[in-house]
Amino acid sequence: MKRILTLAAAAVAFGAAASAQTVGFSQIGSESGWRAAETTLTRLQAEERGIDLRFSDAQQRQENQIAAIRSFIAQGVDAILLAPVVATGWDSVLEEAQEAEIPVVLLDRMVDSDPSLFLTAVGSDLVHEGSVAGQWLVDAVAGEECRVVELQGTTGSSPAIDRANGFREAIAEHGNIEIVRSQTGNFTRTEGKEVMESFLQAEGGGADICAVYAHNDDMAIGAIQAIEEAGLNPGEDILIVSIDAVPDIFLAMAEGNANATVELTPNMAGPAFDALEAYWADGTIPPNFIQTESRLYTQDDDPMAEYEARRDLGY
Amino acid sequence: MSRTLLRIAPQAITLVVLVALISVVFPGFLDISISDGRLVGPAIDILKRGASVALLAVGMTLVIATRGIDLSVGAIIAICGAIAAWGITNDYSLGTTLMMAVAAGLLAGLWNGTLVAVIGIQPIVATLILMTAGRGVAQLITEGRILTFSNDQFAYLGSGDLFGIPVPALLWPVTGVLFAIAMRRTALGLLIEAVGINRRASALAGINATLLLIAVYMASGFCAALAGIITTADIRGADANNAGLWLELDAILAVVIGGNSLMGGRFSIAASLLGAMIIQTIDTGILLAGFPSEYNLVIKAGLVIAILILQSPRLGATWTYWRYALFSRQRGGATQAVREGQE
């Protein structure tokens, strides 16, 4: 305890001396490439803004996250970023942070606690991502008949449900676009390829398919391979639109095999730091939820440059 | 030969009925056309997509014949796939890369075999270790990302074709036939069965049971390595998280549908391969039929249960009993039937 106090005192003294803000970041772990990229970008953002970032990897365990937050409070940090591994069980530790007057910003995922216990939450709207993809297809086919096949995410998962609904909302008013087949590819390349092969068989060797909508880029990459092996040109004969914007899909776009992707940005920390800086400056309270931009990338957006920019983020 | 045919008859009949059933839902199921000099059609897709499980089933049949089980094959797929992708991206030649991947599979099998045969851990626990740890090893090799490559020679193993037939669709029958010859043209198959029925008795009879058990797990590792190579070559990338995920369960199911007893003893590689094709036919059939994805697993479970019930020995005996009881004019026909059914 004494050591922690000394450390905390040292941290406060150091923080004051350098007049830099200290932010603790409790990350879930590194279960996916996307999360690794989120960690990398958070570090980069902190470095750019001269913020002293204390990083803690919880290895997918809530108790590690709670312990990390308590130690951040003991160190007297200026703010805490939290990417919560589960939604429940945060009330008491968030109350402790509130008593210590340390603002908490949630990244990427939500908690079930009262909104007054945290400053704001930064995240993406999954339904909106699906509708951006749908809107792209509506514009791309410009009123022509289009039979779409859909590669869904893992059955029952919230991204699969929300991305399916968003896409359907976007094409609802357009009778020319119709989803003719829909199957799960479990978010993986192998299953994306296997399911696409059967779609091609079932739809006249691919002649009757106008576009593929995949709930993530990996399944789209599998589908592209299946289409190529069936002797068709992905990106031309069959349009490909997917979600996530991982580096490999930009490579496929540069080769003309994929048409569009909607970004689920791993830069959750940027908007979070913006909100925190405004709060530190004059106490501005940000909105309860800050929605990150679901940006659409197409072949016109210099995919090769986007690939180069992303390849080292740890995806 | 005719005994082999008799042995695999139930599986063959099941497959034919299944194909007929799917043809009703999806009429073009057996259509095969030629495009760009290669055969195209749902049946070809089944032969190709079923390759992983079929390869695993070959090794799994031998392991199960020794009264063991190998839960680690899915993880070995991930490890060997990761090593293959790592090798090819680091500019090793195709030959060296494949040798490294196969060597990794054999090494994994050696590990399992040693735990089971030398240290004496129960097979289900011994192979569970590698099942859980193996995926971590694969992730270390790929550094947690999907390791992609663009080597056409290597990709050929997964998505190329020879004489119009996809390479994976050729690989598993060849492997199956080679293993079957090694088992049945020598005493090896008999020795494995002997170890499976009673390890102690067979050891006392002069069989080196320890060595044989290790060899069997290494054979399983070898088959998993082949499956890992074609899986990785197919998507031109190693996905340590998902490659071969839960395939060990499909492989065990294939062996069971093939009528092999989990208690060890008599085995048939051909029947296991048919079992693998039955599973893939169900999978592909569901995809083609166009049901919503929520139904996939329920339909698969329903069909598997139906197949296993129809194949159950007790049902066979009951059926024979009623056939005799209903159609036999002789008194005492039913008792005779029971005697026949029990044989």
Side-chain angles (χ1 to χ4, degrees):
Chain A
M1 192 60 210
K2 207 169 176 186
R3 231 180 94 208
I4 293 177
L5 279 179
T6 334
L7 266 178
V12 169
F14 176 77
S19 79
Q21 305 282 15
T22 311
V23 173
F25 176 29
S26 172
Q27 174 65 291
I28 295 177
S30 51
E31 82 277 7
S32 66
W34 184 87
R35 205 156 282 288
E38 184 187 42
T39 303
T40 314
L41 274 167
T42 306
R43 285 183 200 276
L44 287 175
Q45 286 285 338
E47 215 169 283
E48 239 172 60
R49 294 159 198 256
I51 292 171
D52 179 17
L53 189 77
R54 306 277 166 86
F55 179 74
S56 161
D57 183 331
Q59 299 180 327
Q60 342 288 335
R61 295 165 74 103
Q62 186 178 27
E63 58 262 40
N64 292 349
Q65 291 204 294
I66 291 175
I69 294 172
R70 293 224 165 97
S71 93
F72 289 146
I73 295 172
Q75 290 170 28
V77 296
D78 298 297
I80 294 171
L81 301 182
L82 168 66
V85 61
V86 291
T88 51
W90 298 102
D91 289 3
S92 68
V93 73
L94 288 179
E95 276 162 18
E96 286 169 37
Q98 196 166 45
E99 278 163 23
E101 293 180 354
I102 299 173
V104 176
V105 178
L106 304 179
L107 296 190
D108 173 44
R109 299 193 192 180
M110 280 304 291
V111 297
D112 281 344
S113 307
D114 189 82
S116 67
L117 289 176
F118 52 88
L119 184 68
T120 179
V122 182
S124 172
D125 182 343
L126 296 163
V127 179
H128 179 63
E129 289 168 1
S131 73
V132 170
Q135 191 56 47
W136 174 83
L137 189 66
V138 168
D139 298 340
V141 297
E144 277 180 47
E145 288 293 314
C146 186
R147 290 163 59 86
V148 182
V149 295
E150 180 186 36
L151 295 170
Q152 295 188 333
T154 306
T155 308
S157 67
S158 63
I161 296 168
D162 291 347
R163 285 172 177 181
N165 288 339
F167 189 83
R168 280 165 179 72
E169 276 171 24
I171 62 167
E173 311 263 298
H174 303 270
N176 57 319
I177 299 175
E178 183 196 359
I179 298 176
V180 290
R181 277 180 184 266
S182 181
Q183 254 297 342
T184 175
N186 267 324
F187 287 127
T188 67
R189 287 186 194 205
T190 311
E191 286 191 55
K193 187 172 182 183
E194 179 176 356
V195 174
M196 192 65 210
E197 279 172 359
S198 72
F199 283 168
L200 290 166
Q201 299 285 354
E203 297 291 332
D208 303 336
I209 302 174
C210 135
V212 174
Y213 166 48
H215 288 186
N216 79 345
D217 290 337
D218 279 323
M219 290 191 292
I221 291 167
I224 288 169
Q225 291 175 351
I227 296 167
E228 275 180 337
E229 282 164 27
L232 296 169
N233 275 331
E236 285 172 31
D237 298 335
I238 297 178
L239 303 175
I240 313 278
V241 55
S242 53
I243 298 176
D244 272 358
V246 302
D248 283 351
I249 199 75
F250 287 106
L251 215 53
M253 267 197 240
E255 287 162 2
N257 290 334
N259 299 88
T261 186
V262 181
E263 183 176 43
L264 167 60
T265 179
N267 183 13
M268 301 275 169
F273 286 142
D274 286 343
L276 279 173
E277 277 167 355
Y279 175 76
W280 286 328
D282 46 18
T284 318
I285 302 291
N288 237 322
F289 179 71
I290 302 174
Q291 187 182 328
T292 54
E293 190 191 4
S294 298
R295 195 180 151 192
L296 180 78
Y297 287 90
T298 64
Q299 291 178 354
D300 302 330
D301 292 308
D302 192 3
M304 210 57 216
E306 295 293 337
Y307 171 72
E308 292 295 337
R310 281 171 170 75
R311 60 184 296 184
D312 291 325
L313 290 180
Y315 273 107
Chain B
M1 195 66 207
S2 65
R3 268 174 62 190
T4 313
L5 286 181
L6 204 62
R7 167 70 180 81
I8 62 171
Q11 285 75 34
I13 293 168
T14 309
L15 191 56
V16 169
V17 171
L18 205 56
V19 168
L21 209 65
I22 295 170
S23 297
V24 174
V25 188
F26 186 82
F29 189 60
L30 285 177
D31 292 354
I32 292 178
S33 58
I34 297 177
S35 104
D36 293 343
R38 60 196 290 169
L39 299 173
V40 179
I44 302 293
D45 277 356
I46 289 172
L47 294 177
K48 179 181 158 193
R49 286 284 151 215
S52 298
V53 174
L55 283 167
L56 294 182
V58 173
M60 191 67 80
T61 307
L62 303 182
V63 171
I64 285 178
T66 65
R67 208 173 186 166
I69 202 152
D70 190 349
L71 295 181
S72 67
V73 287
I76 299 178
I77 287 185
I79 295 175
C80 297
I83 288 179
W86 177 86
I88 216 82
T89 47
N90 281 284
D91 294 328
Y92 287 96
S93 73
L94 183 64
T96 318
T97 302
L98 296 182
M99 294 241 289
M100 286 194 296
V102 169
L106 290 172
L107 198 67
L110 180 65
W111 163 263
N112 285 332
T114 310
L115 288 184
V116 172
V118 180
I119 302 181
I121 302 176
Q122 290 198 0
I124 197 165
V125 179
T127 55
L128 191 64
I129 297 170
L130 197 57
M131 178 189 178
T132 41
R135 230 159 255 291
V137 174
Q139 280 167 357
L140 282 178
I141 299 166
T142 61
E143 292 167 358
R145 57 182 81 181
I146 298 179
L147 202 58
T148 54
F149 57 88
S150 54
N151 182 305
D152 287 336
Q153 280 175 302
F154 185 30
Y156 174 83
L157 294 174
S159 50
D161 54 292
L162 192 66
F163 312 122
I165 303 170
V167 176
L170 291 169
L171 190 64
W172 67 262
V174 170
T175 311
V177 166
L178 289 180
F179 267 86
I181 289 174
M183 291 302 134
R184 296 305 178 197
R185 290 282 166 250
T186 70
L188 211 50
L190 192 69
L191 300 184
I192 287 174
E193 288 170 351
V195 171
I197 293 164
N198 191 329
R199 182 179 168 187
R200 190 134 173 247
S202 55
L204 289 172
I207 300 173
N208 190 342
T210 307
L211 186 70
L212 206 60
L213 277 174
I214 294 178
V216 160
Y217 282 92
M218 287 179 76
S220 179
F222 172 80
C223 291
L226 292 185
I229 288 168
I230 56 169
T231 309
T232 305
D234 181 37
I235 60 164
R236 296 168 183 249
D239 184 349
N241 276 320
N242 297 305
L245 195 62
W246 309 128
L247 280 196
E248 58 278 346
L249 299 182
D250 271 357
I252 294 168
L253 184 62
V255 175
V256 170
I257 291 179
N260 298 295
S261 166
L262 288 176
M263 302 305 287
R266 296 285 292 162
F267 69 90
S268 162
I269 291 177
S272 295
L273 290 177
L274 278 174
M277 287 304 112
I278 288 171
I279 294 174
Q280 189 59 42
T281 306
I282 295 174
D283 283 346
T284 306
I286 291 171
L287 290 180
L288 286 170
F291 295 116
S293 43
E294 288 85 350
Y295 293 98
N296 290 5
L297 297 175
V298 177
I299 296 171
K300 187 173 175 182
L303 286 170
V304 168
I305 289 173
I307 291 168
L308 291 179
I309 288 177
L310 287 174
Q311 285 186 1
S312 82
R314 186 161 294 172
L315 197 73
T318 313
W319 169 235
T320 322
Y321 175 88
W322 283 108
R323 204 177 49 191
Y324 272 86
L326 290 175
F327 299 109
S328 170
R329 269 179 247 148
Q330 292 172 341
R331 273 153 56 104
T335 5
Q336 189 196 342
V338 170
R339 241 180 283 126
E340 281 181 17
Q342 280 171 346
E343 273 170 16

